[in-house]
Amino acid sequence: MTTEKFEIYSPDNAEEIAKVADVLKRGGIAAIPTETVYGLAANALDEEAVKKVFKAKGRPQDNPLIVHISDTNMLDRLVKSLPNGAKECAERFWPGPFTMILPRGEVIPASVSAGLDTVAIRMPSNPVAAAIIAACELPLAAPSANLSGSPSPTTAKRVIEDLDGRVDAVVISHDCEVGVESTVITLCTNPPRLLRPGAVTLDKLREIFPDIEVDKAVLSEPEKDKPVASPGMKYKHYAPKTELYLVEGEAEAYIDYVNRQDDGAALCFEGEDKKLRVPSVVYGNENNDSEQAQALFEALRQLDELGARKAYAHAPQKQGVGLAVYNRIIRAAGFRVIKL
Ligand code: TXA
Ligand code: MG
């Protein structure tokens, strides 16, 4: 299949936006930018279109998709009910990098939710994404626009590397500013539970839900054969080809440890690269969690391009957006942690 490319850097580019909307309305699939990562979108109400998304990514059928809306008016028909706190979350965190799991309305095909009786909903703040959804007048199901198992793409270039020839269209736009996928919470449990950390932090969520729980899968390896609250959490995910180790410790200890290894590469913070004797990729400043989040997935891809057999990542702090960075990186490392 030939993949059509549309360059859209502004929501005012109505002509190109209408063309992408047309692809989607006709049941095609298109990669679009969002503020978190690029997404691979399809009409969420069209079972056949949704199937194409799973196929293009090589995504397991039991991993449900997030449905994207551009207006809270779209919400009511997609859900069976709105649990306590849902309206407040929508007002506070939408549009933005925030997803709520809600009771699934009948219009949502079972395949979108992988057969669960819940549905994940998000309203992205990226203006091009919002304009495309609004032009379609449809909710769009969209997982991250990577091949299953590789890091989520934060640039159009990486989307094209993974999906050219596998999807109907790719929107070429700005790099994603958040860099890690949205925060996912479920409102279908009491108390609500954080399933995936993101740029809407636990502290912000506690202002609405003081008793919110953090799912075990956020920081630890899922137990074999046990059901998980968020199916996406059980996959290794974001797996670089390089065998990655997550190294916890102060900068000096980390540098010392890596320099004592016979081979390998490093995924480190700004400034540490100059003191390392191995090839390295930097993922932001040690004290800036937003910068780390923005840089992480691109850094993982660059790390693979170095071709090293092993690599040592300097672990981030788990506070604020750092929790999301830690969550992604420990998965990329297959839960191999070295404590110094
Ligand atoms: O920022 C994002 O959320 C990006 C952009 C494109 O919007 N999308 C994204 O989608 O990260 P994806 O498919 O890569 O991740 C969706 C996550 C998975 O971990 C999935 O298991 C979980 O959300 N999820 C979706 N529906 C769910 C449901 N009904 N119950 C529990 N978890 C659900
Ligand atoms: Mg994904």
Side-chain angles (χ1 to χ4, degrees):
M1 140 188 339
T2 1
T3 299
E4 267 190 285
K5 316 280 185 338
F6 299 99
E7 278 190 37
I8 308 179
Y9 290 95
S10 153
D12 301 331
N13 191 344
E15 207 173 301
E16 296 299 287
I17 284 169
K19 288 184 198 163
V20 179
D22 208 50
V23 169
L24 290 163
K25 283 194 280 192
R26 282 189 282 112
I29 58 176
I32 63 169
T34 85
E35 71 278 20
T36 56
V37 300
Y38 275 76
L40 179 58
N43 175 0
L45 308 180
D46 178 346
E47 181 117 50
E48 289 308 309
V50 169
K51 272 192 199 150
K52 292 181 194 167
V53 168
F54 282 93
K55 185 155 176 252
K57 281 188 56 117
R59 182 179 178 103
Q61 298 283 343
D62 66 349
N63 194 2
L65 309 181
I66 296 173
V67 175
H68 296 67
I69 59 176
S70 58
D71 194 303
T72 40
N73 291 335
M74 296 169 96
L75 186 59
D76 285 342
R77 69 185 272 253
L78 304 180
V79 300
K80 198 160 259 165
S81 61
L82 287 177
N84 281 341
K87 283 225 165 82
E88 220 175 324
C89 285
E91 274 166 28
R92 183 84 194 273
F93 304 127
W94 280 352
F98 178 72
T99 299
M100 283 190 269
I101 311 286
L102 301 165
R104 174 163 68 98
E106 261 150 39
V107 287
I108 303 282
S111 56
V112 168
S113 288
L116 300 171
D117 54 10
T118 55
V119 59
I121 315 259
R122 158 160 132 81
M123 189 195 296
S125 62
N126 177 295
V128 172
I132 291 170
I133 302 167
C136 292
E137 299 181 300
L138 286 169
L140 298 180
S144 47
N146 51 286
L147 287 174
S148 207
S150 70
S152 297
T154 55
T155 69
K157 176 176 164 252
R158 297 304 190 180
V159 174
I160 291 168
E161 276 175 19
D162 274 18
L163 297 180
D164 200 16
R166 305 177 69 92
V167 301
D168 298 292
V170 170
V171 174
I172 298 170
S173 191
H174 299 291
D175 295 354
C176 304
E177 64 263 35
V178 174
V180 291
E181 307 89 339
S182 60
T183 301
V184 179
I185 74 166
T186 178
L187 297 188
C188 297
T189 58
N190 195 3
R193 175 177 294 198
L194 175 69
L195 301 181
R196 182 174 74 180
V200 170
T201 60
L202 202 47
D203 284 341
K204 288 186 206 157
L205 293 168
R206 284 198 176 117
E207 289 170 18
I208 296 181
F209 307 112
D211 56 348
I212 190 169
E213 286 176 353
V214 177
D215 199 87
K216 255 175 77 182
V218 167
L219 287 176
S220 51
E221 190 164 15
E223 290 168 55
K224 280 199 183 72
D225 307 322
K226 283 254 176 78
V228 286
S230 185
M233 285 294 183
K234 79 175 177 224
Y235 297 103
K236 188 173 157 202
H237 248 226
Y238 325 115
K241 295 181 199 85
T242 307
E243 193 171 281
L244 191 66
Y245 292 82
L246 186 58
V247 183
E248 293 192 349
E250 299 291 318
E252 238 170 84
Y254 167 74
I255 291 160
D256 205 54
Y257 177 82
V258 176
N259 282 340
R260 277 189 280 115
Q261 307 304 311
D262 298 331
D263 64 349
L267 179 64
C268 64
F269 297 123
E270 210 174 83
E272 293 174 347
D273 50 328
K274 295 183 187 70
K275 298 179 188 152
L276 287 165
R277 284 197 287 270
V278 299
S280 61
V281 178
V282 169
Y283 77 107
N285 184 286
E286 183 174 18
N287 300 311
N288 189 334
D289 52 3
S290 301
E291 203 178 291
Q292 293 161 18
Q294 207 277 331
L296 180 66
F297 286 143
E298 179 57 28
L300 285 174
R301 287 186 182 239
Q302 286 175 13
L303 193 65
D304 263 346
E305 288 168 354
L306 288 179
R309 198 170 55 85
K310 285 184 178 182
Y312 303 93
H314 194 183
Q317 301 293 322
K318 295 182 198 117
Q319 275 80 46
V321 185
L323 184 64
V325 180
Y326 192 97
N327 167 274
R328 305 313 191 269
I329 212 167
I330 198 173
R331 283 183 163 64
F335 296 93
R336 288 179 292 266
V337 179
I338 297 166
K339 291 199 164 106
L340 299 177

